[in-house]
Coordinates of all heavy atoms in Angstrom, one line a residue:
M1 N 8.6 4.5 -0.9 CA 8.9 5.0 0.5 C 8.9 3.7 1.4 O 7.9 3.0 1.3 CB 7.9 6.0 0.9 CG 8.0 6.3 2.3 SD 6.6 7.4 2.7 CE 7.2 8.2 4.1
Y2 N 9.9 3.5 2.1 CA 10.0 2.4 3.0 C 10.5 2.7 4.4 O 11.2 3.7 4.5 CB 11.0 1.3 2.4 CG 10.7 0.9 1.0 CD1 11.3 1.6 0.0 CD2 9.8 -0.1 0.7 CE1 11.0 1.2 -1.3 CE2 9.5 -0.4 -0.6 CZ 10.1 0.2 -1.6 OH 9.8 -0.1 -2.9
T3 N 10.0 2.0 5.4 CA 10.5 2.0 6.7 C 10.7 0.6 7.1 O 9.8 -0.2 7.0 CB 9.5 2.8 7.7 OG1 9.3 4.1 7.2 CG2 10.1 2.8 9.1
L4 N 11.9 0.3 7.7 CA 12.2 -1.0 8.1 C 12.4 -1.1 9.6 O 13.2 -0.3 10.1 CB 13.4 -1.6 7.4 CG 13.4 -1.6 5.8 CD1 14.7 -2.1 5.3 CD2 12.2 -2.6 5.4
D5 N 11.7 -1.9 10.3 CA 11.9 -2.1 11.7 C 12.9 -3.3 12.0 O 12.7 -4.4 11.4 CB 10.6 -2.4 12.5 CG 9.7 -1.2 12.3 OD1 10.1 -0.1 12.3 OD2 8.4 -1.5 12.3
T6 N 13.9 -3.1 12.7 CA 15.0 -4.1 12.9 C 15.4 -4.2 14.4 O 16.3 -3.5 14.8 CB 16.2 -3.7 12.1 OG1 16.7 -2.4 12.5 CG2 15.9 -3.7 10.6
P7 N 14.8 -5.1 15.1 CA 15.2 -5.3 16.5 C 16.5 -6.2 16.5 O 16.9 -6.7 15.5 CB 14.1 -6.0 17.1 CG 13.5 -6.9 16.0 CD 13.7 -6.0 14.8
D8 N 17.1 -6.3 17.7 CA 18.2 -7.2 17.8 C 17.6 -8.6 17.6 O 16.5 -8.9 17.9 CB 18.9 -7.1 19.2 CG 19.7 -5.8 19.3 OD1 20.1 -5.3 18.3 OD2 19.8 -5.3 20.4
P9 N 18.3 -9.5 16.9 CA 19.7 -9.5 16.5 C 19.9 -8.9 15.1 O 20.9 -9.3 14.4 CB 20.1 -11.0 16.5 CG 18.8 -11.7 16.2 CD 17.7 -10.8 16.8
G10 N 19.1 -8.1 14.6 CA 19.4 -7.3 13.4 C 18.7 -7.9 12.1 O 19.2 -7.7 11.0
Y11 N 17.6 -8.5 12.3 CA 16.8 -8.9 11.1 C 15.6 -8.0 11.0 O 15.1 -7.5 12.0 CB 16.4 -10.4 11.1 CG 15.7 -10.8 12.4 CD1 14.3 -10.7 12.5 CD2 16.3 -11.3 13.5 CE1 13.6 -11.0 13.6 CE2 15.7 -11.7 14.7 CZ 14.3 -11.5 14.7 OH 13.6 -11.9 15.8
V12 N 15.1 -7.9 9.8 CA 14.0 -7.1 9.5 C 12.7 -7.7 10.0 O 12.4 -8.9 9.6 CB 13.8 -6.7 8.1 CG1 12.6 -5.8 7.8 CG2 15.1 -5.9 7.7
V13 N 11.9 -7.1 10.8 CA 10.6 -7.7 11.3 C 9.4 -7.0 10.7 O 8.3 -7.6 10.7 CB 10.5 -7.7 12.8 CG1 11.6 -8.5 13.5 CG2 10.5 -6.3 13.4
N14 N 9.5 -5.9 10.0 CA 8.4 -5.2 9.5 C 8.9 -4.2 8.5 O 9.9 -3.5 8.6 CB 7.8 -4.3 10.7 CG 6.4 -3.8 10.3 OD1 5.6 -4.5 9.8 ND2 6.1 -2.6 10.8
A15 N 8.1 -4.2 7.4 CA 8.4 -3.2 6.3 C 7.1 -2.4 6.1 O 6.1 -3.0 5.8 CB 8.8 -3.9 5.0
L16 N 7.2 -1.1 6.2 CA 6.1 -0.2 5.9 C 6.4 0.4 4.5 O 7.5 0.8 4.3 CB 6.0 0.9 6.9 CG 5.7 0.5 8.4 CD1 5.9 1.7 9.3 CD2 4.3 -0.1 8.5
W17 N 5.4 0.3 3.6 CA 5.7 0.7 2.3 C 4.5 1.5 1.8 O 3.4 1.5 2.3 CB 6.0 -0.5 1.4 CG 5.0 -1.6 1.5 CD1 5.1 -2.7 2.4 CD2 3.8 -1.8 0.8 NE1 4.0 -3.5 2.2 CE2 3.2 -3.0 1.3 CE3 3.1 -1.1 -0.2 CZ2 2.0 -3.5 0.8 CZ3 1.9 -1.6 -0.6 CH2 1.4 -2.8 -0.2
Q18 N 4.7 2.2 0.7 CA 3.7 3.1 0.1 C 3.8 3.0 -1.4 O 4.9 3.1 -2.0 CB 4.0 4.6 0.5 CG 2.9 5.5 0.1 CD 3.1 6.9 0.7 OE1 3.9 7.1 1.6 NE2 2.3 7.9 0.2
V19 N 2.6 2.9 -2.1 CA 2.5 2.9 -3.5 C 1.9 4.3 -3.9 O 0.8 4.7 -3.3 CB 1.6 1.8 -4.0 CG1 1.3 1.9 -5.5 CG2 2.3 0.4 -3.7
T20 N 2.5 5.0 -4.8 CA 2.0 6.3 -5.2 C 1.8 6.2 -6.7 O 2.6 5.7 -7.5 CB 3.0 7.4 -4.9 OG1 3.1 7.4 -3.4 CG2 2.5 8.8 -5.3
G21 N 0.7 6.9 -7.2 CA 0.4 6.9 -8.6 C 0.1 8.4 -9.0 O -0.4 9.1 -8.2
V22 N 0.5 8.7 -10.2 CA 0.3 10.1 -10.7 C -0.2 10.0 -12.1 O 0.2 9.2 -13.0 CB 1.7 10.8 -10.8 CG1 1.5 12.2 -11.4 CG2 2.3 10.9 -9.4
S23 N -1.3 10.7 -12.4 CA -1.9 10.8 -13.7 C -2.1 12.3 -14.0 O -3.1 12.8 -13.4 CB -3.1 10.0 -13.8 OG -3.7 10.1 -15.1
G24 N -1.3 12.9 -14.7 CA -1.5 14.4 -15.0 C -1.4 15.1 -13.7 O -0.4 15.0 -13.0
E25 N -2.4 15.9 -13.4 CA -2.4 16.7 -12.2 C -2.9 15.9 -10.9 O -2.9 16.5 -9.8 CB -3.3 17.9 -12.4 CG -4.8 17.6 -12.6 CD -5.6 18.7 -12.9 OE1 -5.7 19.1 -14.0 OE2 -6.3 19.3 -12.0
Y26 N -3.2 14.7 -11.1 CA -3.8 13.9 -10.0 C -2.8 12.9 -9.4 O -2.1 12.3 -10.1 CB -5.0 13.1 -10.4 CG -6.1 14.0 -11.0 CD1 -6.2 14.1 -12.4 CD2 -6.9 14.7 -10.2 CE1 -7.2 14.9 -13.0 CE2 -7.9 15.5 -10.8 CZ -8.1 15.6 -12.1 OH -9.0 16.4 -12.6
T27 N -2.7 12.9 -8.1 CA -1.8 12.0 -7.4 C -2.5 11.3 -6.2 O -3.3 12.0 -5.6 CB -0.6 12.9 -6.7 OG1 0.1 13.5 -7.8 CG2 0.3 11.9 -6.0
A28 N -2.3 10.1 -6.1 CA -2.9 9.3 -5.0 C -1.9 8.3 -4.5 O -0.9 7.9 -5.2 CB -4.1 8.5 -5.5
S29 N -2.1 7.9 -3.2 CA -1.2 6.9 -2.6 C -1.9 6.1 -1.6 O -2.9 6.5 -1.0 CB 0.1 7.6 -2.0 OG -0.3 8.5 -1.0
I30 N -1.3 5.0 -1.3 CA -1.8 4.1 -0.2 C -0.6 3.4 0.4 O 0.3 3.1 -0.3 CB -2.9 3.1 -0.8 CG1 -3.5 2.3 0.4 CG2 -2.2 2.1 -1.8 CD1 -4.8 1.5 -0.1
G31 N -0.7 3.2 1.7 CA 0.4 2.5 2.4 C 0.0 1.1 2.7 O -1.1 0.7 2.8
G32 N 1.1 0.3 3.0 CA 0.9 -1.1 3.4 C 1.9 -1.5 4.4 O 2.9 -0.7 4.7
N33 N 1.8 -2.6 4.9 CA 2.6 -3.1 6.0 C 2.8 -4.6 5.8 O 1.9 -5.4 5.6 CB 1.9 -2.9 7.3 CG 2.7 -3.4 8.5 OD1 3.9 -3.3 8.5 ND2 2.0 -3.9 9.5
T34 N 4.1 -5.1 5.7 CA 4.4 -6.5 5.6 C 5.3 -6.8 6.8 O 6.3 -6.2 7.0 CB 5.1 -6.8 4.3 OG1 4.3 -6.3 3.2 CG2 5.4 -8.3 4.2
Q35 N 4.8 -7.8 7.6 CA 5.6 -8.3 8.7 C 6.3 -9.6 8.5 O 5.8 -10.4 7.7 CB 4.6 -8.5 9.9 CG 4.0 -7.2 10.4 CD 3.1 -7.4 11.6 OE1 2.6 -8.5 11.8 NE2 3.0 -6.3 12.4
F36 N 7.4 -9.7 9.1 CA 8.3 -10.9 9.0 C 8.6 -11.4 10.3 O 8.6 -10.7 11.3 CB 9.6 -10.6 8.2 CG 9.4 -9.8 7.0 CD1 9.6 -8.4 7.0 CD2 8.9 -10.4 5.8 CE1 9.4 -7.6 5.9 CE2 8.7 -9.6 4.7 CZ 9.0 -8.2 4.7
N37 N 9.1 -12.6 10.4 CA 9.8 -13.1 11.6 C 11.1 -13.7 11.2 O 11.4 -13.9 10.0 CB 8.9 -14.1 12.4 CG 8.5 -15.4 11.6 OD1 9.4 -16.0 11.0 ND2 7.3 -15.7 11.6
S38 N 11.9 -14.1 12.2 CA 13.2 -14.6 11.9 C 13.2 -15.8 11.0 O 14.1 -16.1 10.2 CB 14.1 -14.8 13.1 OG 13.4 -15.8 13.9
A39 N 12.1 -16.6 11.1 CA 12.0 -17.9 10.3 C 11.8 -17.5 8.9 O 12.3 -18.3 8.0 CB 10.9 -18.7 10.8
D40 N 11.2 -16.4 8.6 CA 11.0 -16.0 7.2 C 12.4 -15.7 6.5 O 12.5 -15.8 5.3 CB 10.2 -14.7 7.1 CG 8.8 -14.8 7.5 OD1 8.3 -16.0 7.5 OD2 8.2 -13.8 8.0
Q41 N 13.4 -15.3 7.3 CA 14.6 -14.9 6.7 C 15.7 -16.0 6.9 O 16.9 -15.8 6.5 CB 15.1 -13.6 7.3 CG 14.1 -12.5 7.0 CD 14.5 -11.2 7.7 OE1 15.6 -10.9 8.0 NE2 13.5 -10.3 7.9
E42 N 15.4 -17.1 7.6 CA 16.3 -18.1 7.9 C 16.9 -18.7 6.6 O 16.2 -19.0 5.6 CB 15.7 -19.3 8.6 CG 16.7 -20.2 9.3 CD 16.0 -21.2 10.2 OE1 15.2 -20.7 11.1 OE2 16.2 -22.4 10.1
G43 N 18.2 -18.8 6.6 CA 18.9 -19.4 5.4 C 19.1 -18.3 4.3 O 19.9 -18.5 3.4
A44 N 18.5 -17.2 4.4 CA 18.6 -16.1 3.4 C 18.9 -14.8 4.1 O 18.6 -13.8 3.6 CB 17.4 -16.0 2.6
F45 N 19.6 -14.9 5.3 CA 19.9 -13.7 6.1 C 20.8 -12.8 5.3 O 21.8 -13.2 4.7 CB 20.5 -14.0 7.4 CG 20.8 -12.8 8.2 CD1 19.8 -12.3 9.0 CD2 22.0 -12.3 8.3 CE1 20.0 -11.1 9.7 CE2 22.3 -11.2 9.1 CZ 21.2 -10.6 9.8
I46 N 20.4 -11.5 5.2 CA 21.2 -10.5 4.5 C 21.5 -9.4 5.5 O 20.5 -8.9 6.1 CB 20.4 -9.9 3.3 CG1 20.0 -11.0 2.3 CG2 21.2 -8.8 2.7 CD1 19.1 -10.6 1.3
P47 N 22.7 -9.1 5.8 CA 23.0 -8.0 6.7 C 22.3 -6.7 6.3 O 22.2 -6.4 5.1 CB 24.5 -7.8 6.6 CG 25.1 -9.2 6.1 CD 23.9 -9.7 5.2
Y48 N 21.8 -6.0 7.3 CA 21.0 -4.8 7.1 C 21.8 -3.8 6.1 O 21.2 -3.3 5.2 CB 20.7 -4.1 8.4 CG 19.8 -2.9 8.2 CD1 18.4 -3.1 8.2 CD2 20.3 -1.6 8.1 CE1 17.5 -2.1 8.0 CE2 19.4 -0.6 8.0 CZ 18.1 -0.8 7.9 OH 17.2 0.2 7.8
A49 N 23.1 -3.7 6.3 CA 23.9 -2.8 5.5 C 23.9 -3.2 4.0 O 24.1 -2.4 3.1 CB 25.2 -2.6 6.0
N50 N 23.6 -4.5 3.7 CA 23.6 -5.0 2.3 C 22.3 -5.0 1.7 O 22.2 -5.4 0.5 CB 24.3 -6.4 2.3 CG 25.7 -6.4 2.7 OD1 26.4 -5.3 2.8 ND2 26.2 -7.5 3.1
L51 N 21.2 -4.6 2.4 CA 19.9 -4.6 1.8 C 19.8 -3.6 0.7 O 20.4 -2.5 0.8 CB 18.8 -4.3 2.8 CG 18.5 -5.4 3.9 CD1 17.5 -4.9 4.9 CD2 18.0 -6.7 3.2
T52 N 19.0 -3.9 -0.4 CA 18.7 -3.0 -1.5 C 17.2 -2.8 -1.6 O 16.5 -3.6 -1.0 CB 19.3 -3.5 -2.8 OG1 18.6 -4.7 -3.1 CG2 20.8 -3.8 -2.7
E53 N 16.8 -1.8 -2.3 CA 15.4 -1.6 -2.5 C 14.8 -2.8 -3.2 O 13.7 -3.3 -2.9 CB 15.2 -0.4 -3.3 CG 13.7 0.0 -3.6 CD 13.5 1.3 -4.3 OE1 14.4 1.7 -5.0 OE2 12.4 1.8 -4.2
A54 N 15.5 -3.4 -4.2 CA 15.0 -4.5 -4.9 C 14.8 -5.7 -4.0 O 13.8 -6.5 -4.2 CB 15.9 -4.9 -6.1
I55 N 15.7 -6.0 -3.1 CA 15.6 -7.1 -2.1 C 14.3 -6.9 -1.3 O 13.5 -7.9 -1.1 CB 16.8 -7.2 -1.2 CG1 18.0 -7.7 -2.1 CG2 16.6 -8.2 -0.1 CD1 19.4 -7.6 -1.4
V56 N 14.2 -5.7 -0.7 CA 13.0 -5.5 0.1 C 11.7 -5.6 -0.6 O 10.7 -6.2 -0.2 CB 13.1 -4.1 0.9 CG1 11.8 -3.8 1.6 CG2 14.3 -4.1 1.8
I57 N 11.6 -5.0 -1.8 CA 10.4 -5.2 -2.7 C 10.1 -6.6 -2.9 O 9.0 -7.1 -2.9 CB 10.6 -4.4 -4.0 CG1 10.5 -2.9 -3.7 CG2 9.5 -4.8 -5.0 CD1 10.8 -2.0 -4.9
G58 N 11.2 -7.4 -3.1 CA 11.0 -8.9 -3.3 C 10.3 -9.6 -2.1 O 9.8 -10.7 -2.3
W59 N 10.5 -9.0 -1.0 CA 9.9 -9.6 0.2 C 8.4 -9.3 0.4 O 7.6 -10.0 1.1 CB 10.5 -9.1 1.5 CG 12.0 -9.5 1.7 CD1 12.6 -10.5 1.0 CD2 12.9 -8.9 2.6 NE1 13.9 -10.6 1.5 CE2 14.1 -9.7 2.5 CE3 12.8 -7.9 3.5 CZ2 15.2 -9.4 3.2 CZ3 14.0 -7.6 4.3 CH2 15.1 -8.4 4.1
I60 N 7.9 -8.3 -0.3 CA 6.5 -7.9 -0.2 C 5.7 -8.8 -1.2 O 6.0 -8.9 -2.4 CB 6.3 -6.4 -0.5 CG1 7.2 -5.6 0.4 CG2 4.9 -6.0 -0.5 CD1 7.3 -4.1 0.1
P61 N 4.6 -9.4 -0.7 CA 3.9 -10.3 -1.6 C 3.3 -9.5 -2.9 O 2.8 -8.4 -2.7 CB 2.7 -10.7 -0.8 CG 3.2 -10.6 0.7 CD 4.1 -9.4 0.6
E62 N 3.5 -10.1 -4.0 CA 3.0 -9.4 -5.3 C 1.6 -9.1 -5.2 O 1.1 -8.0 -5.7 CB 3.3 -10.3 -6.5 CG 3.1 -9.6 -7.8 CD 3.6 -10.5 -9.0 OE1 4.6 -11.2 -8.8 OE2 2.9 -10.4 -10.0
S63 N 0.8 -9.9 -4.6 CA -0.7 -9.7 -4.5 C -0.9 -8.4 -3.7 O -1.9 -7.6 -4.0 CB -1.4 -10.8 -3.8 OG -0.9 -11.1 -2.5
A64 N -0.1 -8.1 -2.7 CA -0.3 -6.9 -1.9 C 0.0 -5.6 -2.7 O -0.7 -4.6 -2.6 CB 0.6 -6.9 -0.6
I65 N 1.1 -5.7 -3.5 CA 1.4 -4.6 -4.3 C 0.4 -4.4 -5.4 O 0.0 -3.2 -5.7 CB 2.8 -4.8 -5.0 CG1 3.9 -4.8 -3.9 CG2 3.1 -3.8 -6.0 CD1 5.3 -5.2 -4.3
E66 N -0.1 -5.5 -6.0 CA -1.1 -5.3 -7.1 C -2.4 -4.7 -6.5 O -3.1 -3.9 -7.2 CB -1.4 -6.7 -7.7 CG -0.3 -7.2 -8.6 CD -0.4 -8.6 -9.1 OE1 -1.4 -9.3 -8.6 OE2 0.4 -9.1 -9.9
S67 N -2.8 -5.2 -5.3 CA -4.0 -4.6 -4.7 C -3.9 -3.2 -4.4 O -4.7 -2.4 -4.7 CB -4.3 -5.4 -3.4 OG -5.4 -4.9 -2.7
A68 N -2.7 -2.8 -3.9 CA -2.4 -1.3 -3.6 C -2.4 -0.5 -4.9 O -3.0 0.6 -4.9 CB -1.1 -1.2 -2.8
Q69 N -1.9 -1.0 -6.0 CA -1.9 -0.3 -7.2 C -3.3 -0.1 -7.7 O -3.6 0.9 -8.3 CB -1.0 -1.1 -8.3 CG 0.5 -1.0 -8.0 CD 1.3 -1.9 -8.9 OE1 0.8 -3.0 -9.3 NE2 2.6 -1.5 -9.1
A70 N -4.1 -1.1 -7.6 CA -5.5 -1.0 -8.0 C -6.3 0.0 -7.2 O -7.1 0.8 -7.8 CB -6.2 -2.4 -7.9
C71 N -6.0 0.1 -5.9 CA -6.6 1.1 -5.1 C -6.2 2.5 -5.5 O -7.0 3.4 -5.6 CB -6.3 0.8 -3.6 SG -7.1 -0.6 -2.9
V72 N -4.9 2.6 -5.7 CA -4.4 4.0 -6.2 C -5.0 4.4 -7.5 O -5.5 5.5 -7.6 CB -2.9 3.9 -6.2 CG1 -2.4 5.1 -7.0 CG2 -2.3 3.9 -4.8
Q73 N -5.2 3.4 -8.4 CA -5.8 3.7 -9.7 C -7.2 4.1 -9.5 O -7.8 5.0 -10.2 CB -5.6 2.6 -10.7 CG -6.1 2.9 -12.1 CD -5.4 4.1 -12.7 OE1 -4.2 4.0 -12.8 NE2 -6.1 5.1 -13.2
G74 N -7.9 3.4 -8.6 CA -9.3 3.7 -8.3 C -9.4 5.2 -7.7 O -10.4 5.9 -8.1
Q75 N -8.5 5.5 -6.9 CA -8.5 6.9 -6.3 C -8.4 7.9 -7.4 O -9.1 8.9 -7.5 CB -7.4 7.1 -5.3 CG -7.6 6.3 -4.0 CD -6.4 6.4 -3.1 OE1 -5.7 7.4 -3.1 NE2 -6.2 5.4 -2.2
I76 N -7.4 7.7 -8.3 CA -7.1 8.6 -9.4 C -8.3 8.7 -10.3 O -8.8 9.8 -10.7 CB -5.9 8.2 -10.1 CG1 -4.6 8.5 -9.2 CG2 -5.7 9.0 -11.4 CD1 -3.3 8.0 -9.8
D77 N -8.9 7.5 -10.7 CA -10.1 7.5 -11.5 C -11.2 8.3 -10.9 O -12.0 9.0 -11.6 CB -10.6 6.1 -11.8 CG -9.6 5.3 -12.6 OD1 -8.7 5.8 -13.3 OD2 -9.7 4.0 -12.6
S78 N -11.4 8.2 -9.6 CA -12.5 9.0 -8.9 C -12.2 10.5 -8.9 O -13.1 11.3 -8.8 CB -12.7 8.5 -7.5 OG -13.2 7.2 -7.5
M79 N -10.9 10.9 -8.9 CA -10.6 12.3 -9.0 C -10.9 12.8 -10.4 O -11.4 14.0 -10.6 CB -9.1 12.5 -8.6 CG -8.9 12.4 -7.1 SD -7.1 12.8 -6.8 CE -6.5 11.2 -6.3
I80 N -10.5 12.0 -11.4 CA -10.7 12.4 -12.8 C -12.2 12.5 -13.1 O -12.7 13.5 -13.7 CB -10.0 11.5 -13.7 CG1 -8.5 11.6 -13.5 CG2 -10.4 11.8 -15.2 CD1 -7.7 10.5 -14.3
T81 N -13.0 11.5 -12.7 CA -14.4 11.4 -12.9 C -15.1 11.1 -11.6 O -15.3 10.0 -11.3 CB -14.7 10.3 -14.0 OG1 -13.9 10.5 -15.1 CG2 -16.2 10.3 -14.3
P82 N -15.4 12.2 -10.9 CA -16.0 11.9 -9.5 C -17.3 11.2 -9.7 O -18.1 11.4 -10.6 CB -16.3 13.4 -9.0 CG -15.3 14.3 -9.8 CD -15.2 13.6 -11.2
P83 N -17.6 10.3 -8.7 CA -18.8 9.6 -8.7 C -20.0 10.5 -8.6 O -19.9 11.5 -7.9 CB -18.7 8.6 -7.5 CG -17.5 9.0 -6.7 CD -16.7 10.0 -7.6
V84 N -21.1 10.2 -9.1 CA -22.3 11.0 -9.1 C -23.1 10.5 -7.8 O -23.4 9.4 -7.7 CB -23.2 10.9 -10.3 CG1 -24.5 11.6 -10.2 CG2 -22.4 11.3 -11.6
S85 N -23.4 11.5 -7.0 CA -24.3 11.2 -5.8 C -25.7 11.5 -6.2 O -26.0 12.5 -6.7 CB -23.8 12.0 -4.7 OG -22.5 11.8 -4.3
P86 N -26.6 10.5 -5.8 CA -28.0 10.8 -6.1 C -28.5 11.9 -5.2 O -28.1 12.1 -4.1 CB -28.7 9.5 -5.8 CG -27.8 8.8 -4.8 CD -26.4 9.3 -5.2
A87 N -29.5 12.7 -5.8 CA -30.1 13.8 -5.1 C -31.3 13.3 -4.4 O -32.0 12.5 -4.9 CB -30.4 14.9 -6.1
N88 N -31.6 13.9 -3.2 CA -32.8 13.6 -2.5 C -33.9 14.4 -3.2 O -33.8 15.6 -3.2 CB -32.8 13.9 -1.0 CG -31.9 13.0 -0.3 OD1 -31.8 11.8 -0.6 ND2 -31.3 13.4 0.8
T89 N -34.9 13.7 -3.7 CA -36.0 14.4 -4.3 C -37.3 14.1 -3.6 O -37.5 13.0 -3.0 CB -36.2 14.0 -5.8 OG1 -36.3 12.6 -5.9 CG2 -35.0 14.5 -6.6
E90 N -38.2 15.0 -3.6 CA -39.5 14.8 -3.0 C -40.3 13.7 -3.7 O -40.3 13.6 -4.9 CB -40.4 16.1 -3.0 CG -41.6 16.0 -2.2 CD -42.3 17.4 -2.1 OE1 -41.6 18.4 -2.0 OE2 -43.5 17.4 -2.2
L91 N -40.9 12.9 -2.9 CA -41.7 11.8 -3.5 C -42.9 12.3 -4.3 O -43.5 13.4 -3.9 CB -42.3 10.8 -2.4 CG -41.2 10.2 -1.5 CD1 -41.8 9.4 -0.4 CD2 -40.4 9.2 -2.4
P92 N -43.2 11.7 -5.4 CA -44.3 12.3 -6.3 C -45.7 12.2 -5.6 O -46.6 13.0 -5.9 CB -44.3 11.4 -7.5 CG -43.6 10.2 -7.1 CD -42.7 10.5 -6.0
W93 N -45.9 11.4 -4.6 CA -47.2 11.4 -3.8 C -47.2 12.2 -2.5 O -48.1 12.1 -1.7 CB -47.6 9.9 -3.6 CG -46.6 9.2 -2.8 CD1 -46.4 9.1 -1.5 CD2 -45.5 8.3 -3.3 NE1 -45.4 8.3 -1.1 CE2 -44.8 7.8 -2.3 CE3 -45.1 8.0 -4.6 CZ2 -43.7 7.0 -2.4 CZ3 -44.0 7.1 -4.7 CH2 -43.3 6.7 -3.7
G94 N -46.1 13.0 -2.3 CA -46.1 13.8 -1.1 C -45.5 13.0 0.1 O -45.2 11.8 -0.1
Q95 N -45.4 13.6 1.2 CA -44.9 13.0 2.4 C -46.0 12.4 3.2 O -47.1 12.9 3.3 CB -44.1 14.0 3.2 CG -42.8 14.5 2.5 CD -41.9 15.3 3.4 OE1 -42.4 15.8 4.4 NE2 -40.7 15.4 3.0
A96 N -45.6 11.3 3.9 CA -46.6 10.7 4.7 C -46.7 11.3 6.1 O -45.9 11.9 6.6 CB -46.3 9.2 4.9

């Protein structure tokens, strides 16, 4: 899922993206945001009508995608095996 912000003169300044993971009945997702300026696209300007999903994905740093994928996997792992919360128990020597 992508949203591209394009002010005049027609270059992309912001890409909102989402990584979704599915494991059986469990689904998790996380969103991200990558900002650009005209200097980022200088020399490689691509008309908006000619953009493809692959081109836009290539603009998103690989480290951001890998981090998002790890977060999604962590969410799914926590759904499959929920973390155990410690119980409050009375102190063996009573309360002060």
Side-chain angles (χ1 to χ4, degrees):
M1 172 186 202
Y2 305 95
T3 302
L4 302 175
D5 296 326
T6 58
D8 287 334
Y11 54 87
V12 175
V13 296
N14 193 42
L16 300 172
W17 47 270
Q18 184 172 352
V19 172
T20 300
V22 178
S23 178
E25 64 186 82
Y26 302 101
T27 301
S29 63
I30 189 169
N33 177 37
T34 303
Q35 294 182 332
F36 313 99
N37 62 47
S38 60
D40 293 335
Q41 298 177 24
E42 194 170 312
F45 182 80
I46 301 168
Y48 187 81
N50 295 346
L51 289 176
T52 64
E53 182 177 21
I55 290 170
V56 175
I57 289 173
W59 292 346
I60 300 168
E62 189 173 324
S63 61
I65 294 171
E66 289 172 352
S67 177
Q69 289 170 331
C71 286
V72 167
Q73 187 59 56
Q75 291 175 26
I76 290 172
D77 291 345
S78 290
M79 287 184 249
I80 294 170
T81 308
V84 177
S85 297
N88 288 331
T89 56
E90 189 174 320
L91 298 174
W93 57 86
Q95 294 190 342

